[in-house]
């Protein structure tokens, strides 16, 4: 049987981030920054990864 309440993804993410350790948050920021810099480099070079 399906649950009657739906899950709000924004609330779920906020709860997870608030309860996470600083190391997890640091890793998330590092991964995001690396992906952003990689996308910028790909755009400048005109060559995607690989």
């Amino acid at each position: 049987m399906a649950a009657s309440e739906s899950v709000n993804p924004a609330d779920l993410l906020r709860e997870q981030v608030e309860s996470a350790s600083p190391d997890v948050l640091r890793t998330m920021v590092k991964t995001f920054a690396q992906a952003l810099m990689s996308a910028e480099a790909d755009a400048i070079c005109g060559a995607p990864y690989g």
Side-chain angles (χ1 to χ4, degrees), residues 27-50:
T27 301
M28 288 172 58
V29 169
K30 180 182 175 184
T31 302
F32 177 75
Q34 287 175 339
L36 185 61
M37 288 187 292
S38 178
E40 271 189 61
D42 292 347
I44 290 171
C45 296
Y49 179 78

Side-chain angles (χ1 to χ4, degrees), residues 5-7 10-12 15 20 24 27 29 34 37 41-43 45 47 50:
E5 295 182 24
S6 64
V7 176
D11 289 340
L12 181 62
E15 289 173 12
V24 172
T27 301
V29 169
Q34 287 175 339
M37 288 187 292
D42 292 347
C45 296

